[in-house]
Amino acid sequence: MTTTPPVLAGAEPLSLPARPELTGGRRIGVLLTHGFTGSPGSMRAWGEHLAELGYAVEVPRLPGHGTDWRDLNTRSWADWYGEVERVFEQLAAENDAVVVAGLSMGGALSLRLAADHADQVSGVVVVNPIVATKRFDVKLLPVLKHVVPALKGIGSDIKKADAVEQSYLHTPLKAIHTLFQALKLLVPDLAKVTAPLLYLRSTEDHVVDEVSEPIILRQIGSTDVTVIRLENSYHVATLDNDAQRIFDESAAFVARVTAD
């Protein structure tokens, strides 16, 4: 019997209640999802900003994250999606409208939710989302994952000098292989995403390459799509120089798409 490692300080999930007196009497929920090898810490300031405006905010800790990278190597996309879907259904039951948002893999999970629950998702916000990659080593994952357990970490790609993401120093290969398998199934289902989309993309990103953007923007079923360039941030833009712009743009977006 394996023991789950303890959750690291700062990696705990965030759950903040709705304050309908600030949102015109309606209860509005926002689900924020962090990226692969990251933790809720990368979304905490964003979530707190939205909560101050009256929104119910949930930032779940995806299974295997915020503990030990070896723990993550025992988990899969099914575990991560199962957790965000559970939290989403809870938010949907308790609120009048729900917006889903995510960073990197969290963006992919948000798009999956919006495809599977199109009638319940009022809007989607993605920051540097991934649905594909041009990296050659990804093609080697089916074999490579049996040879080495992990490669160098991909976290904390941040331009801001004093900012650090709480993320693993290793990239667990069995876990990330399940991510890319799931992304292959997500891409053809992007047409099922019909909710308004706010797409925020860093002009310089050392983790997610440029191939995901045209796939998402070409295949998304949404007719209400807003694209914003983040000129002064790298991949983890929620902790970078453009964080406040993300907070402000997403807050305005949530208000617009959940208006009565």
Side-chain angles (χ1 to χ4, degrees), residues 84-162:
V84 297
E85 189 172 45
R86 179 190 70 79
V87 176
F88 170 77
E89 289 174 347
Q90 175 186 321
L91 272 174
E94 296 174 350
N95 293 277
D96 300 309
V98 179
V99 171
V100 297
L103 166 68
S104 195
M105 180 181 79
L109 287 163
S110 299
L111 290 167
R112 181 77 263 174
L113 277 173
D116 293 347
H117 301 274
D119 59 335
Q120 292 179 289
V121 173
S122 294
V124 186
V125 182
V126 291
V127 180
N128 296 325
I130 184 168
V131 297
T133 184
K134 65 181 182 182
R135 286 183 56 151
F136 176 73
D137 54 2
V138 170
K139 296 181 174 64
L140 304 178
L141 282 175
V143 173
L144 199 58
K145 68 179 183 178
H146 297 295
V147 179
V148 292
L151 294 177
K152 181 182 177 182
I154 57 174
S156 216
D157 182 37
I158 301 173
K159 186 175 184 179
K160 190 176 181 181
D162 59 347

Side-chain angles (χ1 to χ4, degrees), residues 124-127 196-200 224-228 249-250 253:
V124 186
V125 182
V126 291
V127 180
L197 173 69
L198 175 60
Y199 184 100
L200 300 117
D224 179 343
V225 178
T226 304
V227 177
I228 293 176
E249 295 283 0
S250 63
F253 176 81

Side-chain angles (χ1 to χ4, degrees), residues 37-59:
T37 75
S39 80
S42 61
M43 315 297 278
R44 190 172 304 277
W46 187 4
E48 290 172 345
H49 177 84
L50 293 173
E52 287 176 0
L53 298 175
Y55 303 119
V57 173
E58 294 290 337
V59 185

Side-chain angles (χ1 to χ4, degrees), residues 36-37 69 73 149-155 168-173 176:
F36 186 75
T37 75
W69 69 267
N73 233 0
L151 294 177
K152 181 182 177 182
I154 57 174
Y168 294 147
L169 300 179
H170 299 77
T171 301
L173 298 192
I176 202 170

Side-chain angles (χ1 to χ4, degrees), residues 131-234:
V131 297
T133 184
K134 65 181 182 182
R135 286 183 56 151
F136 176 73
D137 54 2
V138 170
K139 296 181 174 64
L140 304 178
L141 282 175
V143 173
L144 199 58
K145 68 179 183 178
H146 297 295
V147 179
V148 292
L151 294 177
K152 181 182 177 182
I154 57 174
S156 216
D157 182 37
I158 301 173
K159 186 175 184 179
K160 190 176 181 181
D162 59 347
V164 178
E165 180 190 25
Q166 184 182 56
S167 59
Y168 294 147
L169 300 179
H170 299 77
T171 301
L173 298 192
K174 288 181 180 178
I176 202 170
H177 184 221
T178 74
L179 165 61
F180 283 106
Q181 288 176 310
L183 294 181
K184 289 180 182 178
L185 300 176
L186 170 61
V187 168
D189 282 346
L190 289 173
K192 297 179 182 178
V193 180
T194 55
L197 173 69
L198 175 60
Y199 184 100
L200 300 117
R201 176 71 174 142
S202 296
T203 53
E204 187 173 354
D205 183 334
H206 307 107
V207 177
V208 171
D209 57 48
E210 70 276 9
V211 302
S212 288
E213 179 175 318
I215 293 173
I216 294 171
L217 297 183
R218 182 176 63 246
Q219 297 192 215
I220 200 79
S222 310
T223 55
D224 179 343
V225 178
T226 304
V227 177
I228 293 176
R229 301 295 173 201
L230 305 174
E231 304 283 353
N232 200 26
S233 297
Y234 295 158

